[in-house]
């Protein structure tokens, strides 16, 4: 799909996110060198425990993203509740409390669009299960910048609206089952 080596992975998910990510993230080895940045739609009014949840069962480092933090290899960053998460041109993270996008803050589109600008063809973007259309416009931006687009098979998603919307805007995206997404990341992206 893309002959340029990947330098980062971005993932967006909503309804059913924990279950979907629980298939992909534990399959990645400790030597997986790419940073992974994830937006999951979480309630804005309480602390998210999602990073802690995955740290207990995965080999990579997990953390809630902090403003101006540089991206590091073998680390998974989650957007904090009620903040958009962006990747800057210098490949550091940035938090924003700008208005919600498609009723969501953090919004997947915001992450994907900023990551497409920062990484271009060196980016892999993945849209997983979800009940709205967030992520579709961002995935289109990734494709237009030369990056690789992967969408969870809507037939097997907990909520199919988000992957269906992504495929409508990006019919050229690779459609994979959850275990195959982990396989793809390990085989194509690991050094």
């Amino acid at each position: 799909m893309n002959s340029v080596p990947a330098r980062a992975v971005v993932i967006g998910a909503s309804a059913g996110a924990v279950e979907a990510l629980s298939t992909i993230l534990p399959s990645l080895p400790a030597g997986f060198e790419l940073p992974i940045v994830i937006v999951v739609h979480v309630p804005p009014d309480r602390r998210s425990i999602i990073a802690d949840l995955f740290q207990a069962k995965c080999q990579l480092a997990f953390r809630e993203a902090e403003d101006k933090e540089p991206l590091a290899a073998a680390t998974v960053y989650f957007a904090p509740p009620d903040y958009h998460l962006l990747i800057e041109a210098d490949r550091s993270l940035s938090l924003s409390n700008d208005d919600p996008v498609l009723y969501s803050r953090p919004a997947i589109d915001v992450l994907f669009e900023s990551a497409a600008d920062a990484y271009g063809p060196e980016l892999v973007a993945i849209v997983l299960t979800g009940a709205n259309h967030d992520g579709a416009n961002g995935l289109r931006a990734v494709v237009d910048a030369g990056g690789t687009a992967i969408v969870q098979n809507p037939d097997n998603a907990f909520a199919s609206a988000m992957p269906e919307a992504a495929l409508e805007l990006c019919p050229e995206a690779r459609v994979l089952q959850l275990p195959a997404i982990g396989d793809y990341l390990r085989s194509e992206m690991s050094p």
Side-chain angles (χ1 to χ4, degrees), residues 68-71 86-94 117-119:
K68 307 303 177 208
E69 180 175 15
L71 286 169
L86 298 90
I87 299 177
E88 299 291 341
D90 67 359
R91 299 183 177 180
S92 66
L93 297 171
S94 175
D117 288 343
Y119 282 95

Side-chain angles (χ1 to χ4, degrees), residues 2 113 115-117 119-123 139-148:
N2 188 344
E113 289 166 4
D117 288 343
Y119 282 95
E122 299 176 321
L123 183 68
L139 195 66
R140 183 74 252 162
V142 170
V143 170
D144 290 346
T148 299

Side-chain angles (χ1 to χ4, degrees), residues 28 33 37-39 44 63 68 74 86 89 116 122-123 127 133-134 152-153 155 169 171 188:
L28 300 178
E33 292 197 357
V37 185
I38 302 176
V39 164
R63 58 192 303 137
K68 307 303 177 208
L86 298 90
E122 299 176 321
L123 183 68
V127 173
H133 291 187
D134 190 17
Q152 179 184 359
N153 187 326
D155 295 342
L169 274 186
E188 300 295 323

Side-chain angles (χ1 to χ4, degrees), residues 3 7 12 21 34 41 52 65 86 92 95 109 115 118 139 146 149 162 168 170 177 187:
S3 60
R7 297 283 178 244
L21 291 168
L34 304 180
H41 294 156
D52 298 336
L86 298 90
S92 66
L95 300 178
D109 282 337
L139 195 66
M162 209 158 80
E168 194 171 310
C170 303
Q177 307 287 5
S187 66

